[in-house]
Amino acid sequence: VHRLRSVDNLFVVVQEFKDYQFKENKEDALKDLEDLVKTLPWTNPLKVWELNNSLKKKKTKRKKHNLQSTASKEKLNDDGEEEGVDQKDASKEEDCAQDAAGGEPASGQDTDETQGVASRNGEEEDDNEQSDGKDGSQAASGSETTAGKTSEGEAKVLKFRVTCNRAGDKHSFTSNEAARDFGGAVQEHFQWKADMTNFDVEVLLNIHNNEVVVGIALTEESLHRRNITHFGPTTLRSTLAYGMLRLCDPQPTDIIVDPMCGTGAIPIEGATEWPSCYHIAGDNNPQAVKRAANNICSLLKKNENKESSTSLGIPLDIIQWDICNLPLRTGSVDIIVTDMPFGKRIGSKKKNWDLYPACLMEMGRICTPGTGRAVLLTQDKKCFAKALSRMGHIWRKGQTVWVNVGGLHAAVYLLRRT
């Protein structure tokens, strides 16, 4: 399951309620959530969580990782990018969570592990506020006072946090309040200790209108961060990049081009998962080309560590070019996969009216007639539809897949070359 390429986060479901009736009154609604804890079937999900922990590899290359997360922090200061904030949080969280869970035997009796965690405490503090405010995981902080009463047994007391994700406007409570009260009840039930940063168990409370899912997280950080170390303002998730590539069904020896590659998420994912194809990436922004090159370097380093000295590199080249005038021979490309500028953080909606038709035209030129295909992602759907309607002689629309990109309703279009 951890090898799935198009999944962001994994968790084991404790119980799912399709039509949960929330009380009108806030206190009653929260009381119900508290009472829910005692009734849930925790035993099997916790076994799955334990099994998952015992399978995790020990992180030996810790120091390297820290350097990386500080590097991404400095990057963040240069560019002030939103992705970066996330990145900082996640790489730190991953570090501490991996300390917590990394080398832990299934029974959870690991004594020196807490020291490893404690030594990093100082640097965890600052990102704590950031992440907590964001996802309502101030969890059971209110109930930390009772955490002293741990069980007197010799087993290690587990640390936990509750993260609540809530969507819908009919609830009388906030995600913070739900996480806090639910967390308090979890703590009483298990006699675990609440800890926002160095937790062993993350309990998820997902509330979507009247659907409630209680789960236990199996991933410490989202799986979409697998290949990217240098983020740009609009870096695409690797999971989405994988889905787009998969949609055009690459065959061995296909030449796959991303003419607007940004930080290189698509070609890097492609080269990793479809090494028998040849991938070319390009962008007109020198900064983006540099970031993509850095991402490729970190991937090569990672591969070297894996395969010692026999690493062969990856079938991927990156070039700075102009999308409307590509240095590629007519009809020489099998597949084009790219994330078009939405006109929000990069470019503008107005510019897209000229850019989109020009792009489609040039992509049509380099794509092999009859067999060539393109998978394009954009949120500027109106502009794209108009541009496509003028290009009917070059591109036929196959299917459209709707996706959510950072809260924006976007579409992935599969086009076939006529």
Side-chain angles (χ1 to χ4, degrees):
V1 170
H2 277 279
R3 290 206 185 99
L4 290 171
R5 309 308 290 163
S6 51
V7 177
D8 280 0
N9 291 291
L10 302 170
F11 60 100
V12 52
V13 175
V14 178
Q15 198 167 356
E16 202 169 348
F17 302 92
K18 283 277 183 244
D19 190 25
Y20 187 91
Q21 295 305 316
F22 288 102
K23 300 262 169 61
E24 293 289 315
N25 173 338
K26 176 158 129 181
E27 278 64 38
D28 295 348
L30 290 169
K31 182 80 179 76
D32 280 356
L33 282 176
E34 276 183 55
D35 295 341
L36 188 62
V37 172
K38 297 188 198 62
T39 65
L40 293 170
W42 293 98
T43 321
N44 282 340
L46 280 166
K47 279 188 188 143
V48 173
W49 172 83
E50 251 177 27
L51 176 68
N52 186 56
N53 267 3
S54 62
L55 296 173
K56 279 183 191 155
K57 293 195 190 84
K58 283 190 177 163
K59 270 279 191 199
T60 40
K61 306 190 206 57
R62 285 298 312 290
K63 284 202 177 93
K64 202 172 212 166
H65 200 103
N66 286 352
L67 288 173
Q68 226 170 47
S69 71
T70 44
S72 67
K73 233 182 299 179
E74 285 158 19
K75 256 201 96 311
L76 167 74
N77 302 344
D78 298 348
D79 303 345
E81 307 157 350
E82 284 171 51
E83 286 271 7
V85 181
D86 223 51
Q87 151 95 357
K88 173 174 115 178
D89 272 339
S91 53
K92 281 196 178 174
E93 256 176 48
E94 175 199 33
D95 268 12
C96 72
Q98 257 155 352
D99 258 28
E104 196 174 339
S107 65
Q109 295 170 333
D110 193 1
T111 44
D112 62 15
E113 170 227 322
T114 41
Q115 289 168 330
V117 170
S119 63
R120 311 205 25 165
N121 250 350
E123 67 170 277
E124 296 301 339
E125 297 308 321
D126 60 354
D127 82 48
N128 202 1
E129 291 106 8
Q130 254 180 344
S131 63
D132 288 355
K134 197 167 58 191
D135 59 18
S137 47
Q138 271 146 347
S141 49
S143 50
E144 277 185 56
T145 40
T146 55
K149 302 197 281 255
T150 55
S151 52
E152 261 64 76
E154 67 284 352
K156 182 173 132 301
V157 176
L158 287 174
K159 297 186 199 150
F160 81 102
R161 81 170 187 191
V162 171
T163 303
C164 173
N165 296 305
R166 185 186 65 81
D169 43 14
K170 294 196 170 60
H171 309 126
S172 55
F173 51 86
T174 65
S175 55
N176 272 353
E177 291 165 335
R180 182 194 64 209
D181 291 18
F182 191 79
V186 167
Q187 188 178 31
E188 265 166 48
H189 185 69
F190 288 108
Q191 295 296 303
W192 288 344
K193 191 174 177 209
D195 190 325
M196 297 305 101
T197 42
N198 306 319
F199 49 88
D200 306 305
V201 186
E202 181 170 26
V203 178
L204 304 172
L205 176 60
N206 291 340
I207 301 172
H208 193 277
N209 294 324
N210 279 354
E211 273 184 42
V212 177
V213 180
V214 179
I216 297 172
L218 300 180
T219 38
E220 277 110 30
E221 62 152 8
S222 176
L223 299 176
H224 77 262
R225 313 186 154 272
R226 51 182 171 256
N227 298 327
I228 303 294
T229 49
H230 296 73
F231 286 80
T234 56
T235 300
L236 194 66
R237 290 171 168 240
S238 303
T239 40
L240 187 51
Y242 174 81
M244 288 168 68
L245 283 151
R246 181 81 198 263
L247 199 58
C248 51
D249 187 25
Q251 300 301 314
T253 75
D254 274 354
I255 292 175
I256 304 178
V257 173
D258 180 350
M260 295 181 269
C261 70
T263 38
I266 295 174
I268 287 174
E269 187 62 28
T272 319
E273 295 298 314
W274 287 273
S276 52
C277 298
Y278 175 52
H279 304 262
I280 308 173
D283 202 287
N284 65 348
N285 178 348
Q287 182 71 35
V289 173
K290 196 166 119 195
R291 280 189 198 128
N294 285 335
N295 281 327
I296 294 169
C297 287
S298 5
L299 187 65
L300 286 170
K301 278 201 193 84
K302 199 167 86 182
N303 289 354
E304 263 167 40
N305 294 336
K306 260 192 246 165
E307 306 154 20
S308 67
S309 56
T310 55
S311 168
L312 297 168
I314 49 178
L316 166 56
D317 276 321
I318 173 137
I319 310 156
Q320 187 180 333
W321 61 26
D322 166 15
I323 173 68
C324 301
N325 191 10
L326 298 172
L328 295 168
R329 204 175 289 168
T330 302
S332 62
V333 173
D334 297 289
I335 295 174
I336 295 171
V337 184
T338 199
D339 170 11
M340 316 264 288
F342 290 7
K344 288 199 181 293
R345 285 193 223 164
I346 286 186
S348 68
K349 296 262 188 203
K350 196 170 162 215
K351 281 189 193 149
N352 283 353
W353 287 95
D354 292 329
L355 179 67
Y356 280 20
C359 286
L360 284 171
M361 196 74 197
E362 183 64 352
M363 288 176 191
R365 180 187 72 79
I366 61 168
C367 220
T368 320
T371 57
R373 46 223 182 275
V375 168
L376 310 175
L377 164 71
T378 179
Q379 187 255 332
D380 196 347
K381 302 178 282 280
K382 189 169 142 198
C383 176
F384 186 84
K386 188 83 178 130
L388 192 61
S389 68
R390 284 193 259 159
M391 298 288 156
H393 58 295
I394 306 178
W395 292 111
R396 243 192 354 267
K397 192 164 83 174
Q399 71 192 100
T400 308
V401 181
W402 303 107
V403 288
N404 174 345
V405 182
L408 298 172
H409 182 56
V412 173
Y413 298 97
L414 171 63
L415 310 179
R416 301 193 177 278
R417 182 72 171 79
T418 54

